[in-house]
Amino acid sequence: MPLFRRTILFLILLELLSLSSWLWPTLNTICFGAILVIIFLLSFKNLAAGLLFALGELIIGSHGYLFSLNLGQGASIISIRLGIFIIVLLAWALHTLRHEGFTGYWRRLKNFQFFKYYLFLAVVLAWGFFFALLRGNDFGNIFLDFNNWLFFLYLFPLLSASRQEDFWPQLRSVALACLAWLIVKTFLFFYIFSHQFIWALPEFYRWIRDTRVGEITQFKGNFYRVFLQSQIYCLLAFFIFLPRVKKIFSQSYSLVLVSCLGVVLVSFSRSFWAGFVMGLFISVCLLVFSLRFLVADFRAGVKKFWTYLLNLVIICFASFVLIFIIAYAPPKADTDLIASLGQRATEMEAAGSSRLSMLKPLLLAIVDHPVIGSGFGTTVTYQSSDPRVVPATAGGSGEYTTYAFEWGYLDLLLKIGLFGVFIYLLLIFKLLKALWQKVNFQITNPKSKINLNGKSSKPITSFELLVTSYSLPLGLLLATIALLTVNIFTPYLNHPLGIGFILAVSVFLDYNQKLKIQAVIN
């Protein structure tokens, strides 16, 4: 709790500094340099501290531009996320040289549970980079497209820091604090815009836009969509915490679920909604599968099933109520939430139409090199009707050329081909398989006991105790499936926001395996 509270206070200070730095660019440069110096000093002393900073920025920073460094007129801008990335990797290299050396680290790296799959993925990504150069793709596009994949290099410091006993409790505290602040920030923006606070709207809107934290869009009935790319973590957190809720009215986890789902609804992201539906569907299927092992008769199984569904209905209803309370809280707001939800669910706006327009040209481009891909930075031209894009096109024609595409898996197919997508999905499949093995054992052996390094715990005798004892693997399983679904329509698996989650799951499973958990069937 002390770390949780300190993190919350630090995040509030960071956001205020970001807003102030946006107003006074000189302060932005000072904060950018000061933050990196502090992170380097802390990381050099304790590598885990730098990783916690990186994690916190990832959860609240969306594209990573809360602070940035402009190298000059017309020059590229370095984001604080990139700066933290360089600093943490530098600290890790110095830390490794000082303690075990790269030879010793390499020996330990080869024992990493998913080492060969990450190695295969690295080869595929290297091929996508060099093949793009051979094909003559624009180098600027290649770098900007490939840049996100460098985030996988965080695997090296993560594996080093995960050996520290206090790393995982600290990670939990910082992640929860950042999640709490993300929820508060979302609802604060939602309240400000839905109530039309004129004194704040222009500055807040431009700050959110210029720092690329998110998007604010007006819908029918004076309703404003508040979409922050980092809200993907609210969706993932919902499923991570879902297995921990046994009694809907008696646990603080219920409040977390209601708040996270409220954020997902306010985001008005149909990609998030699709991930939410898929995650719920899988959770219900797992419940049905588990009941035949955990209940004595059919009537008891039916009761547990309907109790679970009732809990989900209550959580969803409470989330809607929370949004209504914020939208219609004093002072009186002229907002029609129902009309806006209906519009988002049934109408295809310009941005959605543009997403469909890029589908055919993207598929035709994939056909050129379907197996090996066309390399990073490969561009496709399509007709856009997005009002944010059309003014920037020649003569306002809407003919737009880009290397970044909304269709996540098609983007991967274009850049690294079928072979590359197979390797990436193979890695994720191995993660899902490892998570499922942990969950499935407890489902099929409900009366087993868990011996953790020789220390016996209470026997698991019901589904509720199952999700308590193995709730984290079960939650991570559901969250990963939700992420895979979201990536169909919005690219997260090739973005630090999704890559960071994949890395965290990988290192957690490796750490969990090394605990040498042994199960003994009664």
Side-chain angles (χ1 to χ4, degrees):
M1 288 303 295
L3 180 58
F4 178 89
R5 289 192 293 267
R6 289 198 300 269
T7 303
I8 290 287
L9 293 175
F10 177 77
L11 291 175
I12 295 174
L13 174 63
L14 202 66
E15 296 278 7
L16 292 174
L17 283 175
S18 176
L19 179 59
S20 301
S21 298
W22 174 76
L23 294 171
W24 298 289
T26 302
L27 180 61
N28 179 47
T29 303
I30 294 173
C31 290
F32 183 91
I35 290 172
L36 294 188
V37 169
I38 292 171
I39 292 177
F40 177 76
L41 294 175
L42 291 175
S43 301
F44 186 74
K45 182 179 180 181
N46 181 8
L47 184 60
L51 287 169
L52 294 177
F53 269 101
L55 169 74
E57 189 282 323
L58 194 65
I59 294 178
I60 69 167
S62 290
H63 284 287
Y65 284 87
L66 279 176
F67 300 91
S68 57
L69 179 65
N70 194 332
L71 298 179
Q73 188 67 29
S76 59
I77 297 177
I78 299 177
S79 67
I80 191 66
R81 177 170 297 163
L82 179 58
I84 294 174
F85 172 79
I86 295 171
I87 289 298
V88 172
L89 283 183
L90 176 60
W92 165 77
L94 296 174
H95 183 272
T96 303
L97 283 173
R98 187 173 56 172
H99 290 87
E100 58 183 334
F102 287 109
T103 302
Y105 183 84
W106 172 251
R107 287 196 297 266
R108 189 158 50 82
L109 180 62
K110 290 190 292 186
N111 293 325
F112 174 49
Q113 185 179 359
F114 306 102
F115 171 72
K116 63 179 180 180
Y117 304 107
Y118 274 101
L119 184 60
F120 294 155
L121 180 61
V123 172
V124 166
L125 297 177
W127 164 256
F129 181 83
F130 289 110
F131 187 54
L133 294 176
L134 291 174
R135 295 187 68 240
N137 291 355
D138 181 80
F139 183 77
N141 289 342
I142 294 173
F143 175 77
L144 292 174
D145 199 12
F146 180 72
N147 180 50
N148 287 336
W149 295 97
L150 294 176
F151 206 80
F152 270 115
L153 293 177
Y154 265 124
L155 176 66
F156 299 130
L158 269 172
L159 287 174
S160 295
S162 64
R163 295 185 302 166
Q164 304 177 22
E165 291 185 2
D166 59 346
F167 174 72
W168 293 103
Q170 290 177 351
L171 180 64
R172 177 187 60 188
S173 297
V174 170
L176 285 174
C178 293
L179 179 69
W181 175 247
L182 178 62
I183 293 170
V184 169
K185 184 166 68 170
T186 297
F187 289 143
L188 178 62
F189 288 159
F190 178 56
Y191 180 77
I192 289 174
F193 282 92
S194 63
H195 287 76
Q196 289 285 287
F197 290 148
I198 303 301
W199 58 270
L201 289 185
E203 287 74 16
F204 270 103
Y205 176 79
R206 289 197 293 267
W207 172 55
I208 294 169
R209 179 198 61 192
D210 293 347
T211 58
R212 300 176 64 186
V213 165
E215 303 170 8
I216 308 294
T217 309
Q218 186 174 10
F219 279 77
K220 286 182 178 178
N222 208 31
F223 180 87
Y224 283 83
R225 172 201 187 194
V226 179
F227 173 67
L228 315 180
Q229 287 79 6
S230 289
Q231 289 166 341
I232 184 67
Y233 286 109
C234 289
L235 175 64
L236 301 180
F238 178 89
F239 288 108
I240 291 173
F241 285 104
L242 180 61
R244 303 200 63 139
V245 176
K246 300 187 292 294
K247 295 181 180 179
I248 194 67
F249 296 113
S250 64
Q251 289 188 309
S252 58
Y253 295 117
S254 302
L255 178 61
V256 176
L257 291 181
V258 170
S259 301
C260 286
L261 182 54
V263 169
V264 171
L265 294 174
V266 166
S267 74
F268 266 45
S269 169
R270 287 176 292 217
S271 302
F272 289 176
W273 294 354
F276 173 72
V277 171
M278 178 58 72
L280 282 188
F281 174 74
I282 297 299
S283 71
V284 172
C285 290
L286 288 177
L287 173 62
V288 173
F289 172 74
S290 66
L291 288 178
R292 63 192 181 110
F293 297 99
L294 301 175
V295 295
D297 56 73
F298 178 77
R299 181 177 297 179
V302 171
K303 181 180 178 181
K304 285 181 177 292
F305 177 78
W306 286 111
T307 300
Y308 183 75
L309 290 186
L310 179 61
N311 286 344
L312 290 178
V313 170
I314 293 174
I315 290 170
C316 294
F317 177 75
S319 299
F320 277 104
V321 170
L322 176 62
I323 295 174
F324 270 95
I325 291 174
I326 297 173
Y328 296 104
K332 184 179 179 180
D334 184 18
T335 299
D336 193 339
L337 180 59
I338 298 297
S340 301
L341 286 170
Q343 178 189 5
R344 186 61 174 170
T346 59
E347 296 183 13
M348 181 65 68
E349 78 288 358
S353 178
S354 296
R355 184 176 300 185
L356 291 177
S357 298
M358 76 169 61
L359 194 55
K360 182 178 178 180
L362 185 55
L363 290 171
L364 291 175
I366 291 172
V367 173
D368 290 341
H369 300 281
V371 178
I372 61 175
S374 298
F376 295 107
T378 300
T379 60
V380 170
T381 300
Y382 70 98
Q383 192 69 29
S384 175
S385 55
D386 191 332
R388 298 167 298 181
V389 173
V390 172
T393 59
S397 63
E399 192 173 80
Y400 185 60
T401 301
T402 183
Y403 62 85
F405 310 99
E406 295 294 328
W407 300 94
Y409 293 107
L410 295 183
D411 182 278
L412 294 175
L413 280 172
L414 177 65
K415 311 299 175 50
I416 57 178
L418 282 169
F419 183 72
V421 172
F422 171 77
I423 293 297
Y424 195 12
L425 293 182
L426 178 62
L427 167 63
I428 297 175
F429 170 76
K430 291 297 180 180
L431 300 181
L432 290 172
K433 182 180 178 182
L435 291 169
W436 171 246
Q437 287 174 343
K438 295 180 180 302
V439 175
N440 184 50
F441 178 84
Q442 295 304 317
I443 290 177
T444 55
N445 300 280
K447 294 185 178 181
S448 66
K449 296 193 278 189
I450 302 302
N451 287 337
L452 178 58
N453 293 335
K455 297 180 180 179
S456 178
S457 66
K458 295 181 180 179
I460 299 174
T461 57
S462 68
F463 179 77
E464 288 79 11
L465 286 178
L466 160 66
V467 297
T468 300
S469 298
Y470 267 60
S471 61
L472 187 52
L474 178 57
L476 291 174
L477 177 72
L478 297 174
T480 305
I481 292 173
L483 177 62
L484 288 169
T485 305
V486 171
N487 191 69
I488 297 174
F489 310 102
T490 305
Y492 274 100
L493 289 179
N494 61 350
H495 190 277
L497 295 173
I499 292 173
F501 180 76
I502 296 298
L503 285 172
V505 174
S506 304
V507 177
F508 164 75
L509 286 170
D510 184 70
Y511 171 79
N512 193 271
Q513 182 192 46
K514 288 178 172 54
L515 286 177
K516 298 180 180 178
I517 299 178
Q518 299 174 349
V520 181
I521 301 176
N522 286 341

